[in-house]
Amino acid sequence: MIRLPRVPVPEDFTAPAHSPRVAARLGLWLGIAFGLCFVTGLLSHNIQHPPGWFDWPTRPVNLYRITQGTHVLSGIAAVPLLLAKLWSVYPRLFVRPPLRRPVRLVGHGLERISILVLVCAAFFELVTGIFNVAQSYPWRFFFPAAHHAVAWLAVGALLVHVAVKLPVARAVWRRGGRRPAGPDGEPGPAAGDGEPDPAASGRRAFLRTSAGAAGVAVLATAGVTVPALRRISPLAWRSATGPQGVPVNRTSAAAGIVVPADWRLEVVWPGGRRTLSLADLAALPQRTADLPIACVEGWSASANWTGVSVVDLLTHSGAPTGHPVRVSSLEAAGLYSASTLPARHATDPLTLLALRINGEVLHPDHGYPCRIIAPSRPGVLQTKWVARLEVLG
Ligand SMILES: Nc1nc2c(c(=O)[nH]1)N[C@H]1C(S)=C(S)[C@@H](COP(=O)(O)O)O[C@H]1N2
Ligand SMILES: [Mo]
């Protein structure tokens, strides 16, 4: 039989923060945060790279703003919760594996590998996500692809971990349920003896601190997307406003945009083509709507946009409607120089080729001469400096 040296368990490892009840409770909270993050992240991925079966609604107009705000804020809440969880369970790293029975040894090994994958993947997702909202890319891989792939790894390892730990968590909750619950749902003092239970209050204090830290982290940043919190969020990365009261990610100068003096919008469809000047566009019936820019980085801002409905523009040009529309910009290169409106968005009357924002002609940084602004869309697909619309028949 293999014999490993026995690692002494320091006194502190029996502290309330390290109890299985605390680990189980933090695991539940972390599971909820990761679950929200995963589902909203997948939605965002599918909207940007729609598979055939995927159909994203255009209403409510703030839908993407809400799902992506949830994505970023649940990720932020997960940071303190993950640290608290690791603090709670790290003594278990030093627990001697049960070596007597080989089957348990294999189980133990698998469990530890899944935890290693889970912890690495979770850190990777949270750290790259935070660097991304800060628009800093100190690495060589393409952020969206890596962030998406590792999310699957994290969720796979999380499911294995939950399956392995479910019996422990269940036992903890069943045991907790026998005694009257305290204010946090934690078991209160043992009934009968009238003495306060110091371990229970220690556990509650640790859980309260962890939840508090997650709450503070969310409040400190939620102003990027929740207008009511704008003034109390010191860490909001895009609460500062750009020209015309709306933040800007990529300026016209950064994108190298030069609008030619003879600029014309080109509308193409199978078997037809038409060009329109800015004066032609302005002479068409205009529509005004309050719609948000909701960046994938979590910041969002609503504005009042005026322009021509894409569907009206196509009809006026003699182009067919009911098809996806490819939008290209004056930007020569650049990841976001073009986008495709799915048929549903291309036929929604609120999908505008905007000429004005908050009553003024578009600032160059907001896409002058015209830009796409559609309801319930990620910011990256709200193409600025539009040059061409192509109906994909
Ligand atoms: N042509 C072009 N359009 C673009 C971009 C770009 O880089 N090039 N950036 C997009 C991104 S990521 C966002 S969030 C919005 C921001 O619009 P705003 O600068 O008017 O707020 O524009 C989008 N439209
Ligand atoms: Mo964006």
Side-chain angles (χ1 to χ4, degrees):
M1 200 179 71
I2 319 161
R3 277 204 178 275
L4 289 184
R6 211 194 167 108
V7 180
V9 177
E11 187 92 338
D12 181 48
F13 287 1
T14 57
H18 303 305
S19 94
R21 290 184 200 205
V22 168
R25 179 59 57 100
L26 286 171
L28 178 68
W29 294 347
L30 205 48
I32 292 170
F34 277 166
L36 278 174
C37 224
F38 182 68
V39 169
T40 50
L42 266 196
L43 275 177
S44 184
H45 177 84
N46 283 339
I47 297 166
Q48 292 171 67
H49 311 277
W53 52 265
F54 186 80
D55 192 20
W56 181 245
T58 56
R59 301 296 150 81
V61 299
N62 281 318
L63 187 59
Y64 181 78
R65 179 186 209 173
I66 292 165
T67 64
Q68 194 61 8
T70 303
H71 180 69
V72 171
L73 294 178
S74 56
I76 284 171
V79 175
L81 294 180
L82 179 62
L83 295 176
K85 169 91 176 168
L86 290 176
W87 173 255
S88 172
V89 300
Y90 89 89
R92 301 205 55 78
L93 269 182
F94 301 103
V95 170
R96 192 166 62 95
L99 292 180
R100 295 229 164 108
R101 280 183 279 156
V103 176
R104 293 193 59 190
L105 181 60
V106 170
H108 193 89
L110 281 180
E111 183 200 334
R112 290 207 163 183
I113 290 171
S114 77
I115 289 177
L116 181 70
V117 172
L118 176 54
V119 172
C120 291
F123 266 108
F124 180 87
E125 291 299 86
L126 296 178
V127 170
T128 55
I130 287 169
F131 271 94
N132 181 61
V133 301
Q135 294 210 307
S136 165
Y137 304 95
W139 50 63
R140 306 188 118 242
F141 53 81
F142 181 46
F143 165 78
H147 197 68
H148 174 237
V150 176
W152 282 103
L153 212 60
V155 158
L158 182 63
L159 290 179
V160 172
H161 180 62
V162 169
V164 169
K165 291 296 184 189
L166 209 53
V168 183
R170 264 224 218 96
V172 161
W173 275 309
R174 215 175 293 132
R175 200 166 0 116
R178 262 195 240 122
R179 289 194 247 150
D184 304 332
E186 267 284 286
D193 55 14
E195 285 292 312
D197 175 354
S201 60
R203 289 195 296 269
R204 273 200 293 276
F206 187 76
L207 285 171
R208 225 181 281 125
T209 308
S210 309
V216 167
V218 167
L219 280 182
T221 49
V224 285
T225 187
V226 183
L229 296 178
R230 215 141 262 176
R231 296 234 307 250
I232 65 158
S233 288
L235 300 180
W237 50 93
R238 270 299 149 90
S239 49
T241 53
Q244 300 170 319
V246 175
V248 170
N249 252 18
R250 192 139 204 247
T251 61
S252 152
I257 301 299
V258 181
V259 182
D262 62 345
W263 177 89
R264 289 272 187 293
L265 174 76
E266 191 186 11
V267 182
V268 238
W269 61 95
R273 178 178 180 273
R274 171 137 196 221
T275 62
L276 296 98
S277 69
L278 199 50
D280 294 335
L281 288 173
L284 289 175
Q286 304 290 302
R287 186 162 186 137
T288 296
D290 282 327
L291 294 168
I293 295 274
C295 183
V296 294
E297 289 146 22
W299 66 263
S300 68
S302 213
N304 183 259
W305 305 89
T306 302
V308 188
S309 273
V310 166
V311 66
D312 290 351
L313 175 60
L314 295 181
T315 309
H316 169 84
S317 307
T321 57
H323 304 282
V325 174
R326 181 83 181 150
V327 181
S328 317
S329 72
L330 290 168
E331 211 180 340
L335 281 173
Y336 311 124
S337 59
S339 64
T340 301
L341 292 163
R344 189 199 275 260
H345 274 83
T347 48
D348 190 305
L350 282 190
T351 295
L352 306 182
L353 188 68
L355 309 177
R356 306 175 75 84
I357 177 175
N358 295 334
E360 295 170 18
V361 170
L362 285 180
H363 185 279
D365 290 346
H366 287 309
Y368 177 86
C370 64
R371 64 119 25 106
I372 287 292
I373 181 86
S376 182
R377 284 283 269 171
V380 294
L381 303 178
Q382 309 277 34
T383 306
K384 305 195 269 195
W385 315 296
V386 172
R388 184 172 194 263
L389 299 181
E390 182 189 356
V391 179
L392 306 173

